[in-house]
Amino acid sequence: MDDAVRWDLPTDVLVEILPRLPPSSRRRVRLVCRLWRHIIDEHTAEMQSRATTLIWHPWRAVACVVDDLSSSSTGSCRELWRSVRGVQLVGTCNGLLCLCNNEEKPGGIITLVNPATGERLHLPPLPSAEKFIGSFHWMNWHETYNFAYQPMSGRYKIVQLCVPCSLDHVCEFNGVRVLTLGETSRREVATLPEGGARCNLGAGIVSIDDTTHWITRGSTTRVVSFDLKDERITSTTELPTRAAGPCRYHLMEVHGRLGIVIHDLSVTIEVWIMEEGRRWSRRYSFRRQNLPRPHFVYGEYVLTREESSLYGHYRKKGPSLSGEVVQVGHRDQGTLVAEIKGDYSHSQYRTFAYVETTEPLSVYEANIY
Protein backbone atom coordinates (compact mmCIF):
# COMPACT_ATOMS: atom_id res chain seq x y z
CA MET A 1 0.00 0.00 0.00
CA ASP A 2 1.31 3.48 -0.95
CA ASP A 3 2.48 5.60 2.00
CA ALA A 4 0.42 8.60 0.85
CA VAL A 5 -2.77 6.54 0.80
CA ARG A 6 -1.96 5.12 4.21
CA TRP A 7 -1.41 8.45 5.92
CA ASP A 8 -4.41 10.16 4.25
CA LEU A 9 -6.76 7.87 6.20
CA PRO A 10 -7.48 9.67 9.52
CA THR A 11 -7.03 7.68 12.71
CA ASP A 12 -10.61 8.27 13.87
CA VAL A 13 -11.92 6.91 10.56
CA LEU A 14 -9.78 3.79 10.88
CA VAL A 15 -11.01 3.30 14.46
CA GLU A 16 -14.61 3.40 13.17
CA ILE A 17 -13.84 0.88 10.42
CA LEU A 18 -12.10 -1.67 12.64
CA PRO A 19 -15.20 -3.04 14.47
CA ARG A 20 -16.81 -3.72 11.11
CA LEU A 21 -13.98 -6.02 10.02
CA PRO A 22 -13.78 -9.69 11.04
CA PRO A 23 -10.90 -10.51 13.42
CA SER A 24 -9.01 -12.36 10.68
CA SER A 25 -9.01 -9.21 8.51
CA ARG A 26 -7.90 -7.03 11.43
CA ARG A 27 -4.93 -9.30 12.00
CA ARG A 28 -3.90 -8.87 8.36
CA VAL A 29 -4.46 -5.11 8.35
CA ARG A 30 -2.18 -4.63 11.36
CA LEU A 31 0.70 -5.85 9.18
CA VAL A 32 0.40 -2.81 6.85
CA CYS A 33 2.53 -0.43 8.94
CA ARG A 34 3.52 0.48 12.50
CA LEU A 35 0.79 3.12 12.84
CA TRP A 36 -1.99 0.72 11.87
CA ARG A 37 -0.56 -1.99 14.10
CA HIS A 38 -0.55 0.43 17.06
CA ILE A 39 -4.13 1.60 16.40
CA ILE A 40 -5.46 -1.95 16.05
CA ASP A 41 -3.65 -3.14 19.16
CA GLU A 42 -5.06 -0.24 21.17
CA HIS A 43 -8.66 -0.36 19.93
CA THR A 44 -9.53 -4.05 19.47
CA ALA A 45 -10.22 -6.37 22.37
CA GLU A 46 -8.60 -9.50 20.93
CA MET A 47 -5.31 -7.66 20.32
CA GLN A 48 -5.31 -6.23 23.83
CA SER A 49 -5.81 -9.67 25.31
CA ARG A 50 -2.73 -11.63 26.23
CA ALA A 51 -2.68 -15.34 25.56
CA THR A 52 -3.91 -17.37 28.52
CA THR A 53 -3.10 -20.97 29.38
CA LEU A 54 -5.46 -23.63 28.03
CA ILE A 55 -5.12 -27.05 29.66
CA TRP A 56 -6.43 -30.08 27.78
CA HIS A 57 -7.43 -33.21 29.74
CA PRO A 58 -6.98 -36.05 27.24
CA TRP A 59 -8.91 -38.71 29.16
CA ARG A 60 -11.93 -36.54 29.98
CA ALA A 61 -11.80 -34.48 26.73
CA VAL A 62 -12.15 -31.20 28.64
CA ALA A 63 -10.46 -27.84 28.01
CA CYS A 64 -9.86 -25.52 30.98
CA VAL A 65 -8.37 -22.03 31.03
CA VAL A 66 -6.19 -20.22 33.57
CA ASP A 67 -6.96 -16.55 32.91
CA ASP A 68 -4.19 -14.88 34.90
CA LEU A 69 -0.95 -16.61 35.85
CA SER A 70 0.07 -13.72 38.10
CA SER A 71 -2.88 -14.24 40.46
CA SER A 72 -3.43 -17.99 40.19
CA SER A 73 -2.48 -19.35 43.58
CA THR A 74 -5.43 -21.62 44.33
CA GLY A 75 -4.68 -24.24 41.71
CA SER A 76 -8.04 -23.84 39.98
CA CYS A 77 -9.10 -23.07 36.43
CA ARG A 78 -12.41 -22.53 34.64
CA GLU A 79 -13.88 -25.03 32.21
CA LEU A 80 -13.92 -23.75 28.63
CA TRP A 81 -15.12 -26.65 26.49
CA ARG A 82 -16.23 -30.23 27.04
CA SER A 83 -16.42 -32.94 24.40
CA VAL A 84 -16.95 -36.71 24.32
CA ARG A 85 -14.47 -39.46 25.03
CA GLY A 86 -12.22 -40.23 22.09
CA VAL A 87 -11.93 -36.57 21.02
CA GLN A 88 -8.49 -34.98 21.31
CA LEU A 89 -7.30 -31.41 20.84
CA VAL A 90 -5.05 -30.97 17.80
CA GLY A 91 -4.25 -27.31 18.46
CA THR A 92 -5.50 -23.75 18.87
CA CYS A 93 -5.28 -20.69 16.61
CA ASN A 94 -6.66 -17.25 17.46
CA GLY A 95 -9.22 -18.62 19.92
CA LEU A 96 -10.41 -21.46 17.65
CA LEU A 97 -10.00 -25.09 18.77
CA CYS A 98 -9.26 -27.90 16.33
CA LEU A 99 -10.54 -31.26 17.60
CA CYS A 100 -10.07 -34.77 16.24
CA ASN A 101 -12.46 -37.61 17.01
CA ASN A 102 -10.16 -40.63 17.05
CA GLU A 103 -12.97 -43.16 17.37
CA GLU A 104 -15.09 -42.15 14.36
CA LYS A 105 -13.15 -43.78 11.52
CA PRO A 106 -9.57 -44.42 10.33
CA GLY A 107 -7.87 -41.04 10.07
CA GLY A 108 -10.22 -39.38 12.55
CA ILE A 109 -12.88 -36.69 12.05
CA ILE A 110 -11.85 -33.01 12.37
CA THR A 111 -14.11 -30.37 13.95
CA LEU A 112 -13.43 -26.69 14.66
CA VAL A 113 -15.12 -24.96 17.59
CA ASN A 114 -15.20 -21.43 18.94
CA PRO A 115 -15.85 -21.75 22.70
CA ALA A 116 -16.71 -18.05 22.99
CA THR A 117 -19.60 -18.26 20.50
CA GLY A 118 -20.43 -21.97 20.76
CA GLU A 119 -20.11 -22.43 17.00
CA ARG A 120 -18.94 -25.73 15.50
CA LEU A 121 -17.71 -26.51 12.02
CA HIS A 122 -17.41 -30.14 10.91
CA LEU A 123 -14.78 -30.59 8.23
CA PRO A 124 -14.78 -33.32 5.59
CA PRO A 125 -12.27 -36.08 6.29
CA LEU A 126 -9.02 -35.85 4.38
CA PRO A 127 -8.82 -38.77 1.93
CA SER A 128 -6.06 -40.55 3.75
CA ALA A 129 -7.57 -43.66 5.27
CA GLU A 130 -5.92 -45.84 2.66
CA LYS A 131 -2.54 -44.68 3.95
CA PHE A 132 -3.12 -46.25 7.33
CA ILE A 133 -2.75 -49.89 8.30
CA GLY A 134 -5.88 -50.78 10.22
CA SER A 135 -5.38 -51.47 13.90
CA PHE A 136 -7.94 -51.18 16.67
CA HIS A 137 -5.04 -50.32 19.01
CA TRP A 138 -4.31 -47.07 17.22
CA MET A 139 -6.20 -44.22 18.89
CA ASN A 140 -3.85 -41.33 18.20
CA TRP A 141 -4.91 -40.05 14.79
CA HIS A 142 -4.75 -36.49 16.17
CA GLU A 143 -0.95 -36.79 16.33
CA THR A 144 -0.81 -36.81 12.51
CA TYR A 145 -2.59 -33.42 12.25
CA ASN A 146 -1.62 -29.80 12.80
CA PHE A 147 -3.82 -26.69 12.89
CA ALA A 148 -2.04 -23.70 11.34
CA TYR A 149 -2.74 -20.02 10.68
CA GLN A 150 -1.02 -17.85 8.06
CA PRO A 151 -0.74 -14.25 9.34
CA MET A 152 -0.12 -12.69 5.92
CA SER A 153 -3.02 -14.34 4.10
CA GLY A 154 -5.35 -14.83 7.09
CA ARG A 155 -5.96 -18.43 6.06
CA TYR A 156 -6.34 -21.44 8.32
CA LYS A 157 -4.99 -24.78 7.18
CA ILE A 158 -5.27 -28.35 8.43
CA VAL A 159 -2.00 -30.16 7.74
CA GLN A 160 -1.83 -33.94 7.91
CA LEU A 161 1.23 -36.15 7.68
CA CYS A 162 0.18 -39.28 5.79
CA VAL A 163 1.88 -42.14 7.57
CA PRO A 164 1.03 -45.81 8.10
CA CYS A 165 -0.12 -46.80 11.56
CA SER A 166 2.64 -47.55 14.05
CA LEU A 167 2.35 -48.10 17.78
CA ASP A 168 5.80 -46.70 18.52
CA HIS A 169 4.93 -43.38 16.86
CA VAL A 170 7.79 -43.66 14.38
CA CYS A 171 6.25 -44.15 10.94
CA GLU A 172 7.23 -44.35 7.30
CA PHE A 173 6.54 -40.88 5.92
CA ASN A 174 4.66 -40.92 2.61
CA GLY A 175 3.39 -37.38 2.12
CA VAL A 176 1.59 -34.26 3.30
CA ARG A 177 -2.05 -33.37 2.73
CA VAL A 178 -3.55 -29.93 3.30
CA LEU A 179 -7.10 -28.63 3.66
CA THR A 180 -7.54 -24.84 3.54
CA LEU A 181 -10.67 -23.67 5.37
CA GLY A 182 -13.30 -22.36 2.98
CA GLU A 183 -12.06 -24.46 0.07
CA THR A 184 -13.29 -27.83 -1.14
CA SER A 185 -9.95 -29.16 -2.37
CA ARG A 186 -7.97 -31.50 -0.19
CA ARG A 187 -4.56 -31.64 -1.75
CA GLU A 188 -1.69 -34.07 -1.47
CA VAL A 189 1.07 -31.52 -1.77
CA ALA A 190 4.27 -33.42 -0.97
CA THR A 191 5.30 -37.03 -1.35
CA LEU A 192 8.35 -39.12 -0.66
CA PRO A 193 9.24 -42.50 -2.14
CA GLU A 194 8.66 -45.72 -0.26
CA GLY A 195 11.33 -46.37 2.33
CA GLY A 196 11.95 -42.65 2.76
CA ALA A 197 12.30 -40.70 5.98
CA ARG A 198 10.62 -41.99 9.13
CA CYS A 199 8.37 -39.46 10.87
CA ASN A 200 8.60 -39.23 14.66
CA LEU A 201 5.01 -38.39 15.60
CA GLY A 202 5.86 -38.52 19.30
CA ALA A 203 8.06 -35.43 18.84
CA GLY A 204 5.05 -33.39 17.75
CA ILE A 205 4.13 -31.16 14.80
CA VAL A 206 4.47 -27.38 15.32
CA SER A 207 3.49 -24.43 13.10
CA ILE A 208 5.23 -21.06 13.45
CA ASP A 209 3.80 -18.30 11.22
CA ASP A 210 3.91 -19.69 7.65
CA THR A 211 5.92 -22.83 8.35
CA THR A 212 5.06 -26.25 9.79
CA HIS A 213 7.82 -28.36 11.36
CA TRP A 214 8.21 -32.02 12.33
CA ILE A 215 11.07 -34.44 13.01
CA THR A 216 12.14 -37.36 10.87
CA ARG A 217 14.61 -40.17 11.41
CA GLY A 218 16.85 -41.31 8.62
CA SER A 219 20.60 -41.58 8.41
CA THR A 220 20.47 -38.48 10.63
CA THR A 221 17.63 -37.06 12.73
CA ARG A 222 16.43 -33.78 11.24
CA VAL A 223 13.74 -31.12 11.53
CA VAL A 224 11.69 -30.82 8.34
CA SER A 225 10.21 -27.40 7.43
CA PHE A 226 7.09 -27.21 5.27
CA ASP A 227 6.12 -23.85 3.71
CA LEU A 228 2.38 -23.28 4.15
CA LYS A 229 2.21 -20.62 1.45
CA ASP A 230 3.84 -22.58 -1.36
CA GLU A 231 2.85 -25.93 0.21
CA ARG A 232 6.20 -27.59 -0.24
CA ILE A 233 9.06 -28.84 1.89
CA THR A 234 11.68 -26.09 1.90
CA SER A 235 14.49 -27.31 4.14
CA THR A 236 15.72 -29.82 6.69
CA THR A 237 17.88 -28.95 9.69
CA GLU A 238 19.91 -31.15 11.99
CA LEU A 239 19.03 -31.17 15.68
CA PRO A 240 21.28 -29.37 18.20
CA THR A 241 24.51 -31.18 18.99
CA ARG A 242 23.15 -31.67 22.50
CA ALA A 243 20.65 -34.19 21.05
CA ALA A 244 23.35 -36.39 19.53
CA GLY A 245 23.54 -38.80 22.50
CA PRO A 246 20.82 -40.97 24.05
CA CYS A 247 17.91 -38.63 24.75
CA ARG A 248 14.26 -37.82 24.11
CA TYR A 249 13.10 -34.63 22.42
CA HIS A 250 9.98 -32.87 21.20
CA LEU A 251 9.13 -29.65 19.39
CA MET A 252 7.65 -26.55 21.02
CA GLU A 253 6.69 -22.98 20.18
CA VAL A 254 8.83 -20.64 22.32
CA HIS A 255 8.41 -16.86 22.05
CA GLY A 256 7.10 -17.18 18.51
CA ARG A 257 10.03 -19.34 17.41
CA LEU A 258 10.59 -23.02 16.88
CA GLY A 259 11.94 -24.68 20.00
CA ILE A 260 13.06 -28.18 20.87
CA VAL A 261 13.05 -29.68 24.36
CA ILE A 262 15.83 -32.20 25.01
CA HIS A 263 15.66 -34.78 27.83
CA ASP A 264 18.95 -36.60 28.32
CA LEU A 265 19.83 -39.35 30.78
CA SER A 266 20.57 -36.80 33.52
CA VAL A 267 18.00 -34.77 35.47
CA THR A 268 18.48 -31.68 33.30
CA ILE A 269 16.08 -30.59 30.57
CA GLU A 270 17.26 -28.05 28.00
CA VAL A 271 15.26 -25.93 25.58
CA TRP A 272 16.91 -24.77 22.36
CA ILE A 273 15.45 -22.15 19.99
CA MET A 274 16.04 -21.85 16.25
CA GLU A 275 17.57 -18.45 15.49
CA GLU A 276 18.06 -16.67 12.17
CA GLY A 277 20.20 -18.62 9.78
CA ARG A 278 18.70 -21.84 11.16
CA ARG A 279 21.09 -21.82 14.11
CA TRP A 280 20.18 -23.48 17.40
CA SER A 281 20.66 -21.50 20.61
CA ARG A 282 20.23 -22.87 24.16
CA ARG A 283 17.80 -20.64 26.05
CA TYR A 284 16.34 -22.61 29.01
CA SER A 285 17.73 -25.11 31.48
CA PHE A 286 15.49 -26.94 33.97
CA ARG A 287 16.78 -29.03 36.85
CA ARG A 288 14.45 -31.83 38.00
CA GLN A 289 11.50 -30.16 36.27
CA ASN A 290 9.03 -31.50 33.71
CA LEU A 291 7.56 -29.27 31.01
CA PRO A 292 3.98 -29.33 29.72
CA ARG A 293 3.70 -29.43 25.95
CA PRO A 294 3.44 -28.05 23.36
CA HIS A 295 3.41 -24.59 25.08
CA PHE A 296 5.17 -23.76 28.33
CA VAL A 297 6.03 -20.04 27.87
CA TYR A 298 3.32 -17.41 28.43
CA GLY A 299 4.63 -13.86 28.36
CA GLU A 300 6.85 -13.42 31.41
CA TYR A 301 5.95 -16.83 32.85
CA VAL A 302 7.15 -20.35 32.20
CA LEU A 303 5.21 -23.43 33.30
CA THR A 304 6.54 -26.63 34.81
CA ARG A 305 4.70 -29.83 35.69
CA GLU A 306 4.94 -32.11 38.69
CA GLU A 307 2.59 -35.07 38.32
CA SER A 308 -0.93 -33.57 38.43
CA SER A 309 0.11 -29.99 39.23
CA LEU A 310 1.20 -27.06 37.05
CA TYR A 311 3.48 -24.36 38.45
CA GLY A 312 4.18 -20.88 37.10
CA HIS A 313 7.64 -19.30 37.32
CA TYR A 314 8.00 -15.55 36.80
CA ARG A 315 10.91 -14.72 34.53
CA LYS A 316 11.02 -11.01 33.71
CA LYS A 317 14.18 -11.26 31.63
CA GLY A 318 13.20 -13.99 29.24
CA PRO A 319 15.11 -15.15 26.17
CA SER A 320 13.05 -12.85 23.96
CA LEU A 321 14.86 -9.90 25.60
CA SER A 322 18.38 -11.26 25.93
CA GLY A 323 20.60 -14.15 24.95
CA GLU A 324 20.98 -15.36 28.52
CA VAL A 325 20.08 -18.92 29.43
CA VAL A 326 17.13 -18.95 31.84
CA GLN A 327 17.71 -21.51 34.58
CA VAL A 328 15.04 -23.04 36.82
CA GLY A 329 16.44 -25.12 39.68
CA HIS A 330 14.81 -28.03 41.48
CA ARG A 331 14.15 -25.82 44.52
CA ASP A 332 12.38 -23.19 42.45
CA GLN A 333 8.91 -24.67 42.81
CA GLY A 334 7.03 -21.64 41.57
CA THR A 335 3.39 -20.80 42.20
CA LEU A 336 0.65 -23.42 41.89
CA VAL A 337 -1.32 -22.64 38.74
CA ALA A 338 -3.62 -25.63 38.37
CA GLU A 339 -4.11 -29.03 39.91
CA ILE A 340 -5.58 -31.73 37.71
CA LYS A 341 -7.56 -33.92 40.08
CA GLY A 342 -9.21 -37.21 39.24
CA ASP A 343 -7.34 -37.69 35.96
CA TYR A 344 -4.91 -40.58 35.90
CA SER A 345 -3.46 -39.38 32.59
CA HIS A 346 -1.85 -36.30 34.17
CA SER A 347 1.42 -37.13 32.43
CA GLN A 348 -0.32 -36.67 29.06
CA TYR A 349 -2.36 -33.51 29.54
CA ARG A 350 -1.33 -30.69 27.25
CA THR A 351 -1.14 -26.91 27.39
CA PHE A 352 -1.90 -24.41 24.60
CA ALA A 353 -2.14 -20.66 24.10
CA TYR A 354 -5.70 -19.29 24.03
CA VAL A 355 -7.14 -15.84 23.31
CA GLU A 356 -10.93 -15.45 23.30
CA THR A 357 -12.36 -14.30 19.97
CA THR A 358 -15.76 -13.70 18.38
CA GLU A 359 -14.53 -14.73 14.96
CA PRO A 360 -17.40 -16.57 13.23
CA LEU A 361 -16.85 -20.02 11.78
CA SER A 362 -19.78 -19.64 9.40
CA VAL A 363 -17.64 -17.77 6.87
CA TYR A 364 -15.82 -21.03 6.18
CA GLU A 365 -18.97 -23.10 5.87
CA ALA A 366 -20.36 -22.13 2.45
CA ASN A 367 -17.76 -23.97 0.40
CA ILE A 368 -17.52 -27.08 2.60
CA TYR A 369 -19.24 -30.19 1.24
Side-chain angles (χ1 to χ4, degrees):
M1 181 179 292
D2 184 78
D3 286 344
V5 176
R6 231 170 31 217
W7 285 98
D8 284 344
L9 186 61
T11 298
D12 57 344
V13 174
L14 180 58
V15 171
E16 289 296 321
I17 293 174
L18 289 177
R20 295 170 170 81
L21 297 176
S24 58
S25 296
R26 289 198 290 265
R27 286 190 288 270
R28 293 199 300 274
V29 169
R30 73 185 296 274
L31 301 175
V32 171
C33 65
R34 293 181 180 178
L35 174 63
W36 284 29
R37 182 171 67 243
H38 173 74
I39 293 173
I40 293 172
D41 288 352
E42 289 295 319
H43 293 88
T44 56
E46 72 272 12
M47 295 304 176
Q48 294 174 354
S49 302
R50 304 181 73 176
T52 57
T53 305
L54 183 149
I55 305 172
W56 177 256
H57 304 244
W59 178 250
R60 294 188 290 150
V62 174
C64 296
V65 168
V66 178
D67 292 303
D68 188 358
L69 292 176
S70 64
S71 61
S72 298
S73 58
T74 60
S76 62
C77 54
R78 64 181 176 91
E79 183 173 312
L80 180 72
W81 188 265
R82 178 179 292 269
S83 192
V84 297
R85 184 174 177 179
V87 171
Q88 294 298 331
L89 181 60
V90 172
T92 62
C93 287
N94 303 322
L96 305 182
L97 275 58
C98 178
L99 303 171
C100 176
N101 191 327
N102 288 326
E103 297 186 351
E104 279 293 322
K105 61 187 303 184
I109 296 295
I110 298 294
T111 301
L112 296 185
V113 301
N114 184 337
T117 63
E119 281 188 288
R120 303 180 186 221
L121 179 62
H122 299 284
L123 302 183
L126 299 181
S128 58
E130 75 279 1
K131 293 287 185 179
F132 295 93
I133 300 174
S135 171
F136 65 88
H137 295 294
W138 180 257
M139 298 299 294
N140 298 316
W141 304 114
H142 64 283
E143 293 185 356
T144 68
Y145 289 97
N146 186 254
F147 183 37
Y149 174 74
Q150 296 179 266
M152 293 300 294
S153 66
R155 294 180 176 179
Y156 293 94
K157 292 189 175 183
I158 308 295
V159 179
Q160 183 191 29
L161 301 188
C162 301
V163 294
C165 174
S166 172
L167 295 180
D168 61 4
H169 296 189
V170 180
C171 314
E172 293 294 335
F173 171 66
N174 295 104
V176 182
R177 281 188 170 152
V178 175
L179 171 64
T180 300
L181 297 195
E183 297 181 359
T184 58
S185 60
R186 298 174 289 278
R187 303 171 303 283
E188 183 163 338
V189 296
T191 58
L192 288 179
E194 294 294 331
R198 292 171 61 82
C199 175
N200 186 352
L201 292 181
I205 310 172
V206 174
S207 289
I208 311 293
D209 292 333
D210 288 330
T211 307
T212 299
H213 309 270
W214 62 87
I215 291 180
T216 61
R217 294 180 183 177
S219 57
T220 59
T221 302
R222 307 180 70 90
V223 175
V224 177
S225 298
F226 174 79
D227 188 294
L228 290 168
K229 179 182 177 181
D230 297 331
E231 296 185 346
R232 63 186 182 90
I233 294 174
T234 56
S235 62
T236 61
T237 307
E238 292 188 11
L239 271 59
T241 305
R242 185 73 173 81
C247 62
R248 295 181 294 112
Y249 41 78
H250 54 267
L251 298 178
M252 294 270 206
E253 178 185 346
V254 185
H255 296 290
R257 300 180 184 180
L258 179 66
I260 183 168
V261 179
I262 301 174
H263 309 248
D264 61 13
L265 298 180
S266 69
V267 294
T268 300
I269 295 177
E270 293 183 351
V271 180
W272 294 65
I273 296 178
M274 184 176 287
E275 306 281 8
E276 293 184 5
R278 307 193 71 79
R279 298 181 300 104
W280 291 105
S281 175
R282 186 168 69 100
R283 291 302 181 89
Y284 285 95
S285 177
F286 295 86
R287 185 75 173 175
R288 299 183 184 276
Q289 306 277 2
N290 292 312
L291 299 182
R293 53 183 297 196
H295 291 81
F296 75 97
V297 179
Y298 296 84
E300 298 172 334
Y301 288 84
V302 296
L303 297 183
T304 61
R305 176 181 62 80
E306 183 178 339
E307 294 186 346
S308 61
S309 299
L310 280 179
Y311 294 92
H313 306 261
Y314 181 69
R315 290 289 178 268
K316 187 175 182 179
K317 294 182 178 180
S320 61
L321 303 178
S322 70
E324 299 177 1
V325 176
V326 177
Q327 297 187 358
V328 180
H330 68 282
R331 294 185 178 180
D332 186 4
Q333 188 178 26
T335 302
L336 181 64
V337 170
E339 192 168 5
I340 317 300
K341 297 181 178 179
D343 193 343
Y344 74 85
S345 59
H346 57 74
S347 63
Q348 302 175 27
Y349 65 69
R350 308 173 73 200
T351 53
F352 297 86
Y354 175 76
V355 178
E356 186 172 294
T357 181
T358 58
E359 181 168 5
L361 289 173
S362 56
V363 296
Y364 305 109
E365 196 168 30
N367 295 326
I368 296 293
Y369 297 97

